[in-house]
Amino acid sequence: MSITMHLFYTGKDGSARRFAEEMEHSGTADRIRAEDGNEGYAYYLPMNDPETVLLIDSWRDQTALDAHHASPMMAFITALREKYELHMRAERYVSDIDGIPVSDRSFIKN
């Protein structure tokens, strides 16, 4: 079971994109990717909303996600989010590939 978070960062005048760029250029995103239990960490730009950046962040389990939240880099991320005056919305998903009906699996290509 993996946990995937969709984190929507929204700001003004391109601040969300600058936030994501600083996360990447500072090496913080790479440090998160290297954390035990991280299965994916990537920023995306919604085509219909230039003021929002979507982070898709996946973890092996709740224990790994809790360890990430307790890490010292969370203070840096929080400060960076405040620097860019971002609002955040979160969605949480738990993977269950075995629970996907056979009829839906025909649309999924691995």
Side-chain angles (χ1 to χ4, degrees), residues 5-6 8 15 21 39 43 45 51 53 58 62 64 70 73 78 83-84 98 101 103 105:
M5 299 297 300
H6 287 187
F8 298 85
S15 62
E21 289 169 349
E39 295 180 341
Y43 291 98
L45 304 173
E51 296 301 338
V53 169
S58 297
Q62 187 63 50
M73 78 179 74
T78 299
K83 170 185 172 181
Y84 288 105
D98 293 330
S103 59
R105 289 182 193 205

Side-chain angles (χ1 to χ4, degrees), residues 7-103:
L7 303 172
F8 298 85
Y9 294 101
T10 302
K12 294 180 181 174
D13 302 320
S15 62
R17 184 175 186 137
R18 288 192 305 277
F19 163 81
E21 289 169 349
E22 189 165 342
M23 287 290 293
E24 290 291 344
H25 296 308
S26 69
T28 303
D30 283 334
R31 286 191 296 279
I32 293 168
R33 291 181 188 109
E35 285 185 80
D36 182 44
N38 183 268
E39 295 180 341
Y41 190 93
Y43 291 98
Y44 298 90
L45 304 173
M47 297 297 291
N48 64 344
D49 184 355
E51 296 301 338
T52 295
V53 169
L54 167 62
L55 167 63
I56 300 179
D57 187 18
S58 297
W59 297 88
R60 177 183 57 232
D61 53 27
Q62 187 63 50
T63 301
L65 182 55
D66 289 344
H68 168 66
H69 287 153
S71 72
M73 78 179 74
M74 288 306 296
F76 175 79
I77 295 168
T78 299
L80 198 59
R81 195 172 63 227
E82 291 172 3
K83 170 185 172 181
Y84 288 105
E85 300 180 13
L86 299 179
H87 298 277
M88 192 171 105
R89 179 172 58 91
E91 297 174 354
R92 177 185 167 98
Y93 302 92
V94 177
S95 66
D96 183 19
I97 193 70
D98 293 330
I100 296 175
V102 173
S103 59

